[in-house]
Amino acid sequence: MSTPETAGAAAGAGTAAGDEPVWTALPPRLLRMRRLLLVVWLGLLALAVGLPLGLLVGPAWAAFALLPLAVMAWGWPLLERNWRSWRYAERADDLLISRGVLWRQETVVPYGRMQLVEVTSGPVERHFGLASVQLHTAAAATDATIPGLDPAEAERLRDRLTELGEARSAGL
């Protein structure tokens, strides 16, 4: 199994010398964003549980606020494992997307089957300088998403996939 490359190293990549795909990892800003969301939401939940229980029922009941904090401590390293599992590779005829820690999932999207390539970026993603690329095909089950890309890389990937999709489907 090859190690993930940096996002910029595989721009316009194909395959390596031994027909191994050149994998591109997601940027670390995605991990920072997900960890911030984990801390914010579970921190607010801990306050929402602990404060009313502590004031209304008793200080001993406020210990239930430790449950969201325990989930936060458990989720922190899991987010990194999940982030490390995401990668993608551009090959001559298709795009590979690999993800998953316990259940590995590798999606192969042939360029000729792509109907629509979208770049989206919500407010939190924009704050962290991230964008997602979503690929739509004729079969709903093969739609794929690459989250947390640099916006310039997302636009480059969208343009390249659109160009390759048009070239591959021209003969149909």
Side-chain angles (χ1 to χ4, degrees):
M1 185 162 119
S2 40
T3 60
E5 302 292 327
T6 60
T15 56
D19 271 349
E20 271 296 307
V22 178
W23 293 101
T24 304
L26 300 182
R29 289 186 309 250
L30 178 64
L31 177 61
R32 284 195 295 274
M33 180 190 77
R34 288 181 174 174
R35 282 182 167 169
L36 176 69
L37 291 174
L38 177 78
V39 168
V40 167
W41 287 112
L42 290 178
L44 288 174
L45 182 62
L47 281 174
V49 168
L51 199 58
L53 286 176
L55 293 175
L56 300 175
V57 182
W61 287 89
F64 279 105
L66 296 176
L67 290 175
L69 299 178
V71 171
M72 184 187 314
W74 177 70
W76 189 270
L78 291 181
L79 284 174
E80 183 173 356
R81 286 188 64 191
N82 179 270
W83 168 76
R84 287 188 187 281
S85 75
W86 277 87
R87 57 192 187 152
Y88 67 97
E90 300 173 57
R91 296 194 305 184
D93 296 320
D94 50 32
L95 177 73
L96 299 175
I97 302 171
S98 179
R99 63 192 172 280
V101 177
L102 291 177
W103 287 274
R104 297 284 306 159
Q105 184 175 6
E106 190 165 299
T107 305
V108 180
V109 184
Y111 297 134
R113 298 287 183 169
M114 288 185 217
Q115 292 184 332
L116 175 68
V117 181
E118 287 183 303
V119 174
T120 59
S121 185
V124 177
E125 285 178 311
R126 281 194 307 274
H127 176 75
F128 281 88
L130 298 171
S132 296
V133 174
Q134 186 168 10
L135 311 165
H136 299 278
T137 63
T142 58
D143 288 356
T145 302
I146 304 173
L149 295 174
D150 181 65
E153 171 65 7
E155 290 177 13
R156 183 206 65 81
L157 189 60
R158 178 200 59 208
D159 294 343
R160 176 165 163 70
L161 294 176
T162 302
E163 176 185 314
L164 289 168
E166 289 173 355
R168 299 294 193 280
S169 67
L172 296 178

